[in-house]
Each structure stands twice: as C-alpha cells, then as structure tokens.
C-alpha cells in the first residue's frame, strides 16, 4: 500500500473520531490503544487477517449487540 493511501485512511479515521466521539470516550480509548498497538498481525487467526473491513465492522457490531464482544 502506498503512503498516500495510508494517509487517506488515517485522515478518514481522524475525521470520524473528531466528529462523532465525545472527548471522554476518546480519553478512555487512548488508554486502551496500547493493547491494540502490541497486536502482532502474524499472531491473528487467518479468518481475521483475511476478512474485509466491511465484514470486520459487521462482526464487531454483532459481537457488541449480542454481548459476545466485551470491550
């Protein structure tokens, strides 16, 4: 992936977070980011590494709705 594509993705995420997330939630998320940063892509199961972004978002939403995902 080229750097300009990566920058577009990061800009989109930053914009969404700035617009939609209250500052208290941002503070709590920043504390949890350390565990996300320590993820090794090679340690993730193949099903997660190979799913699309749309599938991942759907899976996360379903996990939150059903209580199977505990964040």
């Amino acid at each position: 992936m080229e750097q300009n594509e990566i920058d577009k993705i990061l800009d989109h995420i930053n914009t969404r977070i700035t617009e939609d997330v209250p500052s208290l939630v941002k503070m709590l998320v920043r504390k949890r980011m350390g565990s996300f940063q320590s993820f090794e892509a090679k340690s993730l199961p193949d099903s997660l590494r190979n799913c699309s972004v749309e599938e991942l978002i759907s899976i996360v939403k379903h996990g939150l709705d059903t209580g199977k995902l505990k964040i």
Side-chain angles (χ1 to χ4, degrees):
M1 184 175 291
E2 293 186 27
Q3 187 61 45
N4 65 339
E5 294 172 317
I6 293 170
D7 291 341
K8 285 180 184 178
I9 292 169
L10 295 175
D11 287 343
H12 177 75
I13 293 170
N14 283 329
T15 301
R16 292 298 303 260
I17 289 174
T18 301
E19 293 174 353
D20 298 337
V21 179
S23 60
L24 178 62
V25 174
K26 288 180 198 176
M27 182 181 72
L28 294 172
V29 168
R30 281 188 201 109
K31 289 184 178 188
R32 300 291 298 211
M33 288 306 291
S35 61
F36 181 73
Q37 290 175 325
S38 68
F39 276 6
E40 292 291 331
K42 293 179 181 179
S43 71
L44 298 174
D46 286 339
S47 57
L48 178 56
R49 290 175 36 203
N50 296 323
C51 75
S52 70
V53 173
E54 291 87 0
E55 290 171 323
L56 179 58
I57 291 170
S58 177
I59 291 167
V60 169
K61 284 182 179 181
H62 179 71
L64 290 170
D65 291 343
T66 62
K68 291 181 179 181
L69 182 61
K70 299 185 180 21
I71 296 179

